[in-house]
Structures are given as C-alpha cells and as structure tokens.
C-alpha cells in the first residue's frame, strides 16, 4: 500500500444515533478508518460493538431507526451519507458489494442461483440475455463451483452452505466493485469450508485489487486474513493498526483481553479422571427412513456404530462438522430421539429402548444444555418457572425447588432475585448460565452440552467454560461436550472423539489427538482451523504483514 | 408429479364415499316426505303411496342406497323428483352462472387485495396501512346480503348504472353478460378482498424481514421489484391457501347471493331442491360440492410447488 494510492473507503468520525432506551446514546461514535485498494481491513469486536452497524451504514442499509448524525463515509471520494437514494442504489452492487453471515438465508429460496447473480447485471448494465448468462457462468467457474451450467439452474436449497456463500461472492464481485464488505461471511460455516471461503476471498480480491472491509468476531479469522485490524468496543474504535502489530503486540487493555480470551489450540493439562463409569454406549446408531408406499425408500445413516464411555468427573468431547452425526449421538443419549440400534448403558440399565413410561424416572439423570440461548428458554415464562418445572415434575415441593433455584442462580453467577424475570431481559451469556442452572436443578449425573458455548462471544465463552469446569467438580458430573470448535474442545475436554459422516474416526486423550492425530480427517480439521498458529504464542507469519 | 396427483385423487374416494353415506342418511332422517310434496296438497293417501312407489322410496334404506351408488358408478346422477329431468342435465344448465360468478368474484378479489396487501405491508404503520386494515375489518363484518342491497340501492336504483338483478348467459352476448355480472361479483368479493388483503399484508410483512430482501437491496434493486419479484413469491403459500379456502367458501356463499340477485345458478337450484325435498338432486349437488372442495384442495397443494421449489421435490 503506497501512501499515494487514494483509499476506496474513508470513514471519518462516523456517529450513528440509537433510538431512545438503548444501553447507550450512539451505536457508533467517532469511528474513523480507511480501506485501501487491495487491502483487507478486519473490524473485530464482540456483539454490540457496532461493527455490523458500521458496515451497514457504508452500504446505506441501516435499519430506519438508526440515523447517522455526524461524520462522513466516502466511497472513492464520494460521500455516501449525503447521496440520494437513486445514487446509492447505483453504487450498491456496482461499486460496493456485500456478503452476509448466513448463506442459508441470504439467497432468495424461490429464485434460481443464476437468476440471482444475473439480477446484478440486469440492474446495473445493458447486457443482453446471452451476454449476462455467459458472464454468470464464467463467474461461477471462477468461484470453483462444480458444473456451472447445472449450478445456474439450481435453487439455493440444493446447495451446501459453502456453495451458497460462493454464489453470494459471485453476485458481489461480478461487476468488479471497488469495495467488498463481508459481514461475518464464514461464521456459519464448517472449519474446512471456512478455510476454502477465506482462500477464495483472498484470491479474488488479490486478482481484482478489491478493497475488503471484513467484519468478524473471530481472532483466528483475523490472523488468517487481515492486512490491518480495527478493534471496536461499545461503538468506539479502541485500537487499529497493521495485523501483526495489533495481534502480536496489542496496546489497549480490551484488545489484550479479547486476544487472551481466545482459547488456544494447545490442550490444557488436566488430571486424568478416575470416577466411576457414568455412561457407556455400544453400537449406537440412528438411521432415518424416508419414502412410503409409492416412493422409493431412502435410508440415511445419521450415526452408526458409536461406542463411547464417560466417567463421573470426566469431559468427553465429540468434534466434527455439520452432518457428522455429533448432535444425533447427543440426542440419542438424552433419548430426545430414539436410537435405531445399539445400547446406552446408564449405570447397569440399558435405556436405548426403554418405553417413555419407564424412561421418565431416569430422565433427570441426563440433562442437556443446548446451543441457542435465545431459543432454548420459553420466552413467555419467567426463568424461575423454567428452572423449577423439572424438579416439581419429579415430586420436589415448589417451595424447596424455588429455594434450590435461588442457590443455583448464585452458583452460576446470577442474582437470585432475577428468577422473576423473563429470558429476553438477559444477555446470551446470562441465558446460557440460566440454561445450565435449569439443567443442574435436576441433579443430573450426566450433562450434555450441545454446542453450548458456540453462540457466545469469546470473553463470555471463557467465563461459561470456567463455570462448566466449576460445576463439574462440585457435582462430579460426567460431561458430554458436543462442539465444532477445536479451540474450545482443546480447553475443556479430557478425551476427544472425532466424528465424520456418522462414524467415529478417531478418539483418545485430547493432548494425544492434537499432538499426534491419526486420522486424515482429524489432521484436515486441525489444518483448517483459522489462524491455528495464533493463540499458541506464535505471531502471524511474515506474509500477513503488509509492506 | 403425476403419481402424486393420482395418489391424491385416489385418496379423495374414501372422503367422497363418507360424504355420500352422510348425505343419504341425513336426508332420510329429516322430517318431510317428498312423495307428499310431489303429489300435492289434495292428494289421497293412495296417490301418495303410488308416488312413493314410483320414486322407489318404499324400498328399504340399504336397497335405496345401493341403487343410488350403483347408478352413480355408471355416471348416472339419477332423475330429479321435482324437475322431472336428468340431474346431470339440470346441473349442466345451472353451472355457467355459478362458475361465472365465482370466477369473476375471485378475479376482482385477487386483483384488488394483493396489491393492497403488499402496499400496506411495505408502508406498514402508515395511514394507508391503517385505512386498508380498518376497511378490511368492516369488509368481513358486514353480511353479504346487506352489502348486496346497499350496492343495488346505490348503483342500480340511484345511479342506474347496472340492472337490479338477473343473469344473462354468455351465449346472449359478452357485454350484457358482463354488465349483469358486475354487481353480484363486487358484492361477493368484498369479504375476500378483506381476507386476502390481510393475509397478503401479514405474509409479505414477515418476508420483508428476511435476509434475502436485504441482499436484494445490497444489489441496488429498486423497491418495487424487491416487493413484487422477491417478496411476493415467497409470501405466496399462505396467500394461495386463503384464496383456495375463499373459493371453497364462495361456492357455499352463492346460495345467498344468487337469491339476492335472482341468478339461476347452482345455489338457487340447491335452495329449490331442498324446499321440494328433491332427494336425488340434493344428494347430487352436495356430492358435487364436496368433489369441488377436494379438487380445490389438490389444486392449492399443486400451486404451492409452483411458487416454492422446495415443495416441488
């Protein structure tokens, strides 16, 4: 980046007002940064830091209640804040383009993929139908998508998440915009897919000299892709600079805290658990059959031949990508779904095929904390009612259950008085604590955490992981920890099970699996983890440092 | 696809069979003697018995049912007690007015309601939205016959734009046909405009919060195309459902409208048949209506696939 190149994007002193009643007056305030041609600038911060609001204000796509009140945003020297709606529309898709977090929902489900990419050409160019089609096919090819002709006629639901994100990138880059805004574009993807998409973005922007404004919460991704880093906290920039400098030698305490909170890929040393065997499965499998009288029957083996053992006081992790069957196994063990084959031994009882009536007394033994704290608590009931319901079903008096709920609230670090409040009055991290309290109220022996920290910010994630460790020791819990995140698994699991396409491909003590992975798939997973050197105390490689 | 349609049509047979049994029994168990009605007020008991024998009503119920079903299977709907005509012919002669009225009503309703609903959703919270929603409440609160007489009073009697009542078949010229169809269709459509507009608004409003709408804006698409190209097609499934239910209700509703506007359609035929205790005609009509319901439901399900590729598979 020579100093003489004028930036594609200049954000200067940007302030955006929040509607009344928020936790602060301005969503962002005093935000200034630039993006040069061919440069990738990562804006990093936790939820509520204002990073997405900043990105959307550049595109002019802010929700109506959010109003820019000061500052300027210049795209190639032109102020977009004062541009007319017509002018903004002309710039969007042509000079600046955006890709989003959820490739599953960002494409229109009822229009073909080709049609949706072509739409950009129809809006901004005078190309004829033939020319448009040729351009789209070439673009699909450049995205390394298989069989562009067929892809062109496909609907989004026929594509995988990674393919959909490639389609989004194709639509964003087809007119060679000067600026690409990427809002958490890989957060919803598996690690191996994430690695491919990051590589694709790098390849495309390097070839076309596109400036990229990359929004992320993930320091691994930052280490992987950023030329420069902008760190935001509560609407303000607390630190910015070249990636190597910010990551290697952070100045601001918030940056330091964020970086320290990123779990490292080096497994923590944990004492070998010696508790009694709490759970054992053998030959556990689940298959789904579809079709019927007139249709061809199709069997999908979601999980097969799964054998695992968990002791009291031990945390066993199952890692794998979406579709690996890890959640299916968890749901079978909790008997939320009925396994098709195999045994699930809890103590000396096989619960795999117990009818619901005989299963119910055992249900309190196994409790689950789910991934999405925004959906796993009933929004119309107070959290107290949610916590007390289980024990009362098992015969505890409401008064005793409430007293216990108050103790548990303090244990998970929340005010017992908050029992009377509703879920929407809590943050994601707090809700996950409540979900944990709800599970503990049942006095379980086995706790299943199904991606329980995946939706949380790193700093909150670290706290919830510490809390899990604490309650495990306190109640001598056997924990089955389902996650796609190798960093988290490295920190909390005593033993690891790696699953791929419904089967276990590797298992062993966590340190062993990380140090000497035996299965090719495990190696691929570790390889794909973004910025895997980062957080091991190793600074990002020299190539990431801009000249 | 073809297999699916066939399966659905086969599945309709038990439904229609149950309807047939229920209709048959219900008519036999309600008071009133068709033989007495047909023989007239001054008939002797012998005459009534003779009429009863001619109609086959002196046979045991299972035998009557077997004969009826047997004839149905051969495509013979039987002969009307009252009109002394084959019921097939009778229905064919009355079907044009009813179909015309239903089609015109739905056409008006869809053309008015969907744009209204879309605009109300786009401008939700505005005065326009509130007016559309307020008027729609009025639309389905006021009974059809009140709206009908109001329209007749305003447009026929006061302004003299349209005839007060009556029907002119299509064969008598398109202009006259349309001229006489306008008022009854408008009357009937009011409820459906209200219903469809509300459903469209709710459905589009939900779709407008979807991520792909934001994607379309990020491409620089204009709002009109975002609404009608991206949003409406996604909002279609609930709208199609309500339109389908509307058509089904409409066929029931023609009984009243055809009476108000003196249109000789299936609705009027039903009323006349009931008053005359004309068992075979009532049975045939109800069976026909339920067949139409089943068919409309099938059409709705097939239409889903037209709008949403995810349902197509």
């Amino acid at each position: 980046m020579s100093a003489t190149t004028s930036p594609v994007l200049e954000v200067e002193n940007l302030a955006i007002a929040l509607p009344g009643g928020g936790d602060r007056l301005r969503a962002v305030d005093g935000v200034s940064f630039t993006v040069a041609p061919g440069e990738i600038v990562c804006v990093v911060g936790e939820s509520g830091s204002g990073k997405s609001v900043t990105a959307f204000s550049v595109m002019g796509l802010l929700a109506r209640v959010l109003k820019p009140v000061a500052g300027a945003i210049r795209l190639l020297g032109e102020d977009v804040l004062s541009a007319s709606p017509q002018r903004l529309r002309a710039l969007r898709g042509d000079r600046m383009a955006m890709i989003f977090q959820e490739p599953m929902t960002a494409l229109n489900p009822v229009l073909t993929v080709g049609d949706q990419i072509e739409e950009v050409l129809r809006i901004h160019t005078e190309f004829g139908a033939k020319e448009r089609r040729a351009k789209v096919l070439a673009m699909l090819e450049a995205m390394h998508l298989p069989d562009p002709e067929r892809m062109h006629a496909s609907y989004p639901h026929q594509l995988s998440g990674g393919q959909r994100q490639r389609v989004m990138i194709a639509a964003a880059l087809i007119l060679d915009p000067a600026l690409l805004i990427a809002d958490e574009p890989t957060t919803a993807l598996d690690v191996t897919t994430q690695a491919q998409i990051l590589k694709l973005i790098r390849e495309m922007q390097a070839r076309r000299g596109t400036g990229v404004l990359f929004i992320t919460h993930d320091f691994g991704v930052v280490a992987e892709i950023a030329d420069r880093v902008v760190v935001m906290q509560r609407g303000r920039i607390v630190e910015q600079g070249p990636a190597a400098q910010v990551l290697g030698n952070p100045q601001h305490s918030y940056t330091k805290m964020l970086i320290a909170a990123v779990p490292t890929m080096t497994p923590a040393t944990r004492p070998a658990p010696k508790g009694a065997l709490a759970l054992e499965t053998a030959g556990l499998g689940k298959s789904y059959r579809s079709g019927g009288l007139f249709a061809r029957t199709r069997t999908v083996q979601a999980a097969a031949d799964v054998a695992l053992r968990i002791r009291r006081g031990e945390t066993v992790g199952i890692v794998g990508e979406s579709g690996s069957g890890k959640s299916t196994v968890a749901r079978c063990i909790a008997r939320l779904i009925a396994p098709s084959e195999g045994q699930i031994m809890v103590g000396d009882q096989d619960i795999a095929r117990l009818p619901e009536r005989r299963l119910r007394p055992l249900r309190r033994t196994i409790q689950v904390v789910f991934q999405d704290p925004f959906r796993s608590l009933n929004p119309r009931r107070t959290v107290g009612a949610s916590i007390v319901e289980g024990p009362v079903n098992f015969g505890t008096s409401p008064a005793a259950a409430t007293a216990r709920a108050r103790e548990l609230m303090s244990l998970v670090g929340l005010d017992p008085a908050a029992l009377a409040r509703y879920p929407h009055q809590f943050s994601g991290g707090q809700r996950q604590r409540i979900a944990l309290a709800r599970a503990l109220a049942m006095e379980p022996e086995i706790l299943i955490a199904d991606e329980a920290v995946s939706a949380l910010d790193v700093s909150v994630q670290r706290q919830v992981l510490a809390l899990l460790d604490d309650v495990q020791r306190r109640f001598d819990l056997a924990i089955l920890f389902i996650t796609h995140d190798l960093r988290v698994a490295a920190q909390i699991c005593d033993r690891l099970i790696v699953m791929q396409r419904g089967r276990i491909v590797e298992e062993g003590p966590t340190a062993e699996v990380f140090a000497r992975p035996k299965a090719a798939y495990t190696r691929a997973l570790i390889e794909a983890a973004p910025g895997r050197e980062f957080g091991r105390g190793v600074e990002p490689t020299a190539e990431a440092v801009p000249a | 696809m073809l297999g699916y349609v066939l399966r659905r049509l086969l599945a309709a047979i038990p439904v229609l069979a149950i309807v047939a049994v229920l209709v048959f029994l219900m008519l036999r168990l309600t008071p009133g003697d068709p033989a007495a009605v047909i023989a007239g007020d001054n008939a002797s008991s012998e005459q009534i018995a003779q009429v009863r024998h001619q109609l086959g009503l002196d046979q045991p119920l299972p035998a009557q049912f077997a004969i009826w079903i047997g004839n149905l299977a051969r495509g013979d709907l039987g002969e009307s007690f009252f009109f002394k005509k084959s019921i097939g012919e009778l229905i064919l002669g009355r079907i044009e007015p009813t179909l015309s009225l239903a089609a015109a009503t739905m056409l008006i309703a869809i053309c008015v309601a969907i744009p209204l609903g879309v605009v109300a959703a786009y401008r939700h919270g505005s005065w326009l939205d509130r007016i559309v929603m307020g008027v729609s409440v009025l639309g389905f609160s006021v009974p059809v016959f009140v709206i009908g007489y109001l329209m007749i009073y305003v447009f026929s009697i006061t302004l003299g734009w349209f005839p007060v009542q009556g029907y002119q078949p299509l064969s008598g010229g398109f202009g006259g046909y349309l001229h006489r169809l306008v008022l009854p269709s408008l009357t009937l459509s009011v409820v459906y405009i209200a219903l469809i507009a509300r459903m469209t608004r709710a459905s589009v409003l939900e779709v407008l919060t979807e991520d792909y709408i934001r994607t379309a804006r990020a491409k620089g698409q204009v709002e009109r195309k975002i609404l009608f190209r991206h949003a409406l097609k996604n909002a279609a499934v609930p709208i199609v459902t309500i339109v389908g239910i509307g058509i089904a209700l409409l066929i029931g509703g023609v009984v009243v409208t055809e009476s108000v506007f003196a249109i000789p359609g299936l609705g009027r035929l039903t009323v006349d048949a009931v008053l005359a205790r004309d068992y075979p005609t009532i049975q045939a009509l109800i069976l026909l209506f339920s067949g139409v319901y089943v068919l409309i439901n099938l059409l709705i399900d097939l239409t889903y696939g037209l709008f949403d590729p995810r349902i197509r598979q």
Side-chain angles (χ1 to χ4, degrees):
Chain A
M1 290 345 105
S2 66
T4 50
T5 333
S6 58
V8 288
L9 177 71
E10 291 169 88
V11 176
E12 194 182 312
N13 249 325
L14 180 68
I16 294 166
L18 274 177
D23 64 335
R24 55 181 193 256
L25 284 173
R26 289 178 169 180
V28 300
D29 202 358
V31 166
S32 304
F33 63 88
T34 62
V35 180
E39 184 186 38
I40 300 183
V41 174
C42 276
V43 177
V44 61
E46 297 189 294
S47 41
S49 63
K51 57 188 192 303
S52 285
V53 170
T54 307
F56 281 103
S57 66
V58 176
M59 288 294 283
L61 289 176
L62 282 178
R64 281 180 207 170
V65 292
L66 296 172
K67 294 249 179 330
V69 287
I73 297 173
R74 281 186 288 275
L75 179 74
L76 301 167
E78 180 178 351
D79 189 2
V80 295
L81 287 184
S82 58
S84 68
Q86 290 81 345
R87 181 61 192 154
L88 257 183
R89 275 203 299 273
L91 290 173
R92 286 203 290 256
D94 185 22
R95 296 293 78 214
M96 56 180 173
M98 188 160 182
I99 56 176
F100 303 94
Q101 175 169 359
E102 280 289 347
M104 296 293 165
T105 56
L107 289 167
N108 190 330
V110 303
L111 300 176
T112 64
V113 158
D115 189 15
Q116 295 188 59
I117 304 175
E118 267 195 50
E119 186 178 17
V120 181
L121 300 177
R122 279 197 303 271
I123 297 167
H124 297 285
T125 72
E126 303 290 320
F127 293 136
K130 248 204 193 123
E131 224 170 332
R132 288 201 303 261
R133 189 180 160 79
K135 270 196 163 291
V136 171
L137 288 176
M139 201 65 196
L140 288 170
E141 181 96 55
M143 292 298 126
H144 311 300
L145 280 163
D147 199 351
E149 288 278 349
R150 206 182 44 128
M151 199 56 72
H152 192 283
S154 298
Y155 287 94
H157 72 276
Q158 298 165 318
L159 275 54
S160 71
Q163 287 175 331
R164 292 185 214 193
Q165 201 59 296
R166 283 169 198 267
V167 168
M168 283 297 290
I169 297 173
L173 294 184
I174 195 160
L175 286 177
D176 264 324
L179 175 70
L180 173 68
I181 301 176
D183 185 17
E184 305 259 12
T186 60
T187 306
L189 303 175
D190 283 326
V191 272
T192 51
T193 315
Q194 164 166 293
Q196 291 160 9
I197 295 291
L198 288 179
K199 194 167 149 245
L200 179 69
I201 291 176
R202 258 221 172 285
E203 176 192 329
M204 288 298 141
Q205 66 84 222
R207 189 186 300 171
R208 295 156 184 255
T210 319
V212 178
L213 180 61
F214 197 107
I215 312 295
T216 184
H217 70 283
D218 185 340
F219 268 96
V221 170
V222 175
E224 194 79 13
I225 202 170
D227 294 321
R228 282 195 310 114
V229 181
V230 174
V231 184
M232 287 187 73
Q233 181 193 18
R234 294 179 52 77
R236 289 176 174 278
I237 292 177
V238 296
E239 181 164 0
Q240 62 176 311
Q245 182 191 315
V246 174
L247 295 176
N249 185 20
Q251 296 304 306
H252 194 274
S253 58
Y254 180 71
T255 317
K256 287 179 188 163
M257 188 279 290
L258 276 185
I259 291 175
V262 177
T264 76
M265 291 280 279
T266 316
T269 36
R270 296 167 66 94
K274 296 184 188 63
L277 191 63
L279 176 89
E280 179 170 15
T281 72
L284 184 64
K286 174 73 188 173
S287 50
Y288 290 97
R289 224 172 283 267
S290 63
L293 206 53
F294 297 89
R296 203 153 32 100
T297 350
R298 233 164 49 97
T299 311
V300 178
Q301 191 85 39
D305 206 17
V306 173
L308 59 85
R309 298 156 63 95
I310 314 176
R311 293 173 178 285
R312 294 297 289 265
E314 183 184 34
T315 303
V316 172
I318 304 183
V319 296
E321 298 188 295
S322 47
S324 65
K326 56 188 192 303
S327 280
T328 304
V329 170
R331 272 148 214 265
C332 282
I333 290 174
R335 276 297 306 267
L336 296 175
I337 53 178
S340 317
E341 64 223 4
Q343 285 113 44
I344 304 169
M345 303 297 295
V346 176
D348 50 8
Q349 188 149 29
D350 181 4
I351 63 162
R353 241 163 291 279
L354 277 188
E356 181 61 36
R357 185 175 44 81
R358 291 189 35 218
L359 182 66
R360 198 165 300 130
L362 298 171
R363 282 223 181 263
R364 68 183 310 162
T365 321
I366 304 178
Q367 289 297 310
V368 191
V369 176
F370 295 96
Q371 171 169 9
D372 190 342
F374 291 90
R375 282 168 29 195
S376 59
L377 290 166
N378 186 337
R380 308 221 191 282
R381 310 190 69 187
T382 64
V383 302
S386 287
I387 295 175
V388 165
E389 182 180 16
V392 169
N393 286 345
F394 280 88
T396 312
S397 75
T402 307
R404 177 76 183 138
R406 295 178 67 86
E407 282 171 39
L408 285 169
M409 285 294 270
S410 330
L411 181 74
V412 298
L414 293 172
D415 181 2
L419 281 177
R421 291 204 237 144
Y422 288 88
H424 71 267
Q425 293 169 291
F426 297 91
S427 69
Q430 287 170 330
R431 284 185 224 199
Q432 215 55 327
R433 286 165 190 270
I434 292 164
L436 183 59
R438 191 208 55 73
L440 293 176
M442 299 293 277
E443 295 170 11
E445 292 167 19
I446 300 157
L447 184 72
I448 298 175
D450 188 1
E451 300 275 9
V453 299
S454 304
L456 306 176
D457 283 327
V458 277
S459 59
V460 183
Q461 192 176 63
R462 185 165 69 159
Q463 295 160 6
V464 174
L465 287 176
L467 178 63
L468 268 178
D469 243 352
D470 177 52
V471 298
Q472 176 171 48
R473 250 176 282 120
R474 223 180 261 264
F475 300 106
D476 197 24
L477 287 174
I479 297 183
L480 182 62
F481 195 91
I482 314 293
T483 184
H484 70 280
D485 188 334
L486 285 171
R487 291 172 180 277
V488 170
Q491 293 319 301
I492 193 164
C493 299
D494 298 303
R495 283 193 304 119
L496 267 191
I497 290 171
V498 183
M499 284 188 73
Q500 181 189 23
R501 289 191 217 107
R503 290 175 183 276
I504 294 179
V505 295
E506 174 154 10
E507 67 171 302
T510 307
E512 184 68 28
V513 171
F514 272 91
R516 283 171 291 280
K518 288 191 281 293
Y521 179 66
T522 315
R523 283 197 292 275
L525 276 184
I526 296 176
E527 279 291 301
R532 60 189 187 282
E533 296 307 321
F534 172 76
R536 270 184 175 172
V538 183
E539 286 182 22
T541 46
E543 304 123 63
V545 184
Chain B
M1 194 60 179
L2 194 70
Y4 174 72
V5 174
L6 276 178
R7 251 177 295 145
R8 285 294 303 265
L9 287 176
L10 283 178
I13 290 176
V15 175
L16 291 179
I18 293 170
V19 171
V21 174
L22 284 179
V23 170
F24 181 85
L25 284 180
M26 223 150 58
L27 281 182
R28 268 31 178 212
L29 295 177
T30 43
D33 184 352
V37 174
I38 290 168
D41 289 342
N42 303 321
S44 67
S45 57
E46 288 85 38
Q47 283 170 313
I48 293 178
Q50 200 198 338
V51 171
R52 188 173 295 138
H53 179 71
Q54 280 170 0
L55 298 176
L57 289 172
D58 52 350
Q59 297 194 43
L61 280 188
Q64 289 186 34
F65 187 71
I67 293 169
W68 179 50
I69 291 293
N71 288 340
L72 263 187
R74 288 199 310 272
D76 178 10
L77 290 172
E79 181 135 327
S80 161
F81 290 174
F82 182 73
F83 298 96
K84 310 283 183 211
K85 268 169 91 176
S86 132
I87 295 174
E89 268 175 50
L90 202 57
I91 288 177
L92 271 184
R94 298 293 196 100
I95 213 161
E96 186 200 292
T98 301
L99 273 188
S100 304
L101 191 57
T105 302
M106 267 301 146
L107 202 69
I108 295 173
I110 291 171
C111 291
V112 175
I114 290 183
L116 268 185
V118 171
V119 172
Y122 182 60
R123 299 234 170 268
H124 73 102
S126 70
W127 58 267
L128 187 90
D129 178 27
R130 277 182 215 142
I131 288 176
V132 170
M133 288 305 102
V135 169
S136 76
V137 171
L138 203 68
F140 47 65
S141 323
V142 182
V144 175
F145 66 88
V146 173
I147 299 176
Y149 287 126
L150 264 177
M151 291 236 187
I152 290 175
Y153 180 76
V154 175
F155 293 107
S156 305
I157 298 174
T158 313
L159 295 172
W161 291 355
F162 298 102
V164 173
Q165 48 176 218
Y167 177 79
Q168 182 185 322
L170 193 49
S171 53
F174 188 70
Y177 164 79
L178 206 62
H179 194 217
R180 280 165 191 265
L181 207 54
V182 170
L183 266 196
S185 320
L186 265 181
T187 305
L188 266 182
S189 68
V190 170
V191 168
Y192 301 102
I193 290 174
L195 209 62
I196 297 169
R198 281 188 89 93
M199 183 53 85
T200 304
R201 175 184 181 272
S203 187
V204 169
L205 202 54
E206 197 183 314
V207 169
L208 283 179
T209 64
E210 295 285 346
D211 288 352
Y212 49 79
I213 298 297
R214 188 181 60 189
T215 305
R217 291 209 173 100
K219 287 175 182 170
Q221 188 57 282
V222 293
E223 293 295 318
R224 182 173 46 81
K225 287 212 170 151
I226 288 175
L227 280 175
F228 287 95
R229 209 178 115 76
H230 286 276
L232 194 54
K233 205 175 168 197
N234 274 286
V237 165
I239 300 174
V240 167
T241 310
I242 211 82
V243 168
I245 294 171
I247 294 174
L249 287 174
L250 189 58
I251 291 169
V254 290
V255 173
V256 177
T257 325
E258 287 181 4
S259 301
V260 172
F261 288 98
I263 293 171
L266 290 177
R268 279 287 298 286
L269 181 60
T270 312
V271 174
D272 292 345
V274 169
L275 291 178
R277 301 277 158 217
D278 189 351
Y279 287 1
T281 308
I282 302 173
Q283 282 167 190
L285 280 170
I286 294 183
L287 215 53
L288 176 74
F289 284 144
S290 24
V292 169
Y293 272 54
V294 169
L295 202 69
I296 287 171
N297 268 310
L298 177 63
L299 284 178
I300 294 174
D301 286 357
L302 293 179
T303 317
Y304 289 164
L306 207 65
F307 287 108
D308 195 331
R310 288 166 298 182
I311 300 175
R312 233 173 274 165
Q313 292 167 348

